[in-house]
Amino acid sequence: IAILKIYDTAIDSNAVADSYNSLESTSATIQFEADQNAACLTGNVFTFTITSLNAGGYTYNWDFGDGSTFTGIDTSHSYLIDSTFTVLLIANDGLGCADSVSSSVTIYPQPIFALGSDTTLCDGLIVTLDAGAGYAAYLWNDSTTNQTFTASASGIYSVSVFDTNGCSASDSVEVVMIALPLVDLGPDTS
């Protein structure tokens, strides 16, 4: 997209010709790419790189679609909320010509997940830990991949759940097995 500069040709016909020639030589299509088009909310960092053939001589203004801006060539940006954002790059050649391009990036929400409370049981009993339905994958600390895990010994049991976007959440619980009490009623009597 180029912005047309209007001149009064009767007053400044040389400026009109110069600006027209400048527009032809400096209005190369501006382009950029992101290192990814989607990411999970936790730890997201997008790197934006200008890929135009003639990137020199321009002032670059970035608008990341979340209220944040940056002036400069290549940049990185992190988003604080999940949504789809339109990233806008405006290049200005300082001669009255500008070009812009935009692209969308998506931030996926993190799964909300809790394994439950710590549990205390008597020796010999078992507890089934359930990570909950609806996730694409599960990974327990012993590398099993089921939704549920049967614990029969004291320990800390952890699981990571993954949604269809590859976003994950983790939680752990402690299972404590206590010894059964010893009951001694004395010797048998008849």
Side-chain angles (χ1 to χ4, degrees):
I1 300 172
I3 297 176
L4 180 61
K5 193 169 186 179
I6 306 295
Y7 289 93
D8 182 346
T9 57
I11 297 173
D12 199 356
S13 62
N14 289 335
V16 171
D18 290 345
S19 288
Y20 177 77
N21 293 333
S22 173
L23 175 63
E24 284 187 330
S25 65
T26 63
S27 64
T29 302
I30 191 71
Q31 298 172 11
F32 76 90
E33 64 182 29
D35 63 336
Q36 56 190 333
N37 61 8
C40 302
L41 180 60
T42 300
N44 75 80
V45 177
F46 288 82
T47 300
F48 300 102
T49 305
I50 294 173
T51 58
S52 305
L53 296 177
N54 182 12
Y58 293 89
T59 300
Y60 295 98
N61 295 301
W62 297 87
D63 182 334
F64 300 107
D66 64 350
S68 299
T69 59
F70 174 76
T71 299
I73 297 183
D74 298 334
T75 186
S76 295
H77 186 69
S78 295
Y79 291 90
L80 301 176
I81 61 171
D82 57 275
S83 188
T84 297
F85 298 94
T86 299
V87 179
L88 175 66
L89 173 61
I90 300 172
N92 187 320
D93 69 359
L95 301 172
C97 296
D99 195 5
S100 66
V101 64
S102 64
S103 183
S104 294
V105 295
T106 300
I107 308 301
Y108 298 122
Q110 293 302 126
I112 297 172
F113 164 72
L115 190 54
S117 301
D118 293 346
T119 303
T120 301
L121 298 170
C122 294
D123 265 341
L125 297 178
I126 61 170
V127 62
T128 300
L129 305 174
D130 191 341
Y135 297 104
Y138 304 85
L139 182 61
W140 292 89
N141 56 312
D142 72 342
S143 299
T144 58
T145 57
N146 298 318
Q147 176 183 327
T148 60
F149 184 89
T150 302
S152 59
S154 292
I156 295 176
Y157 297 88
S158 61
V159 64
S160 295
V161 296
F162 301 86
D163 66 14
T164 56
N165 297 315
C167 301
S168 65
S170 298
D171 196 16
S172 62
V173 295
E174 183 175 14
V175 174
V176 176
M177 297 293 185
I178 56 173
L180 293 171
L182 295 173
V183 177
D184 184 1
L185 299 176
D188 288 341
T189 60
S190 9

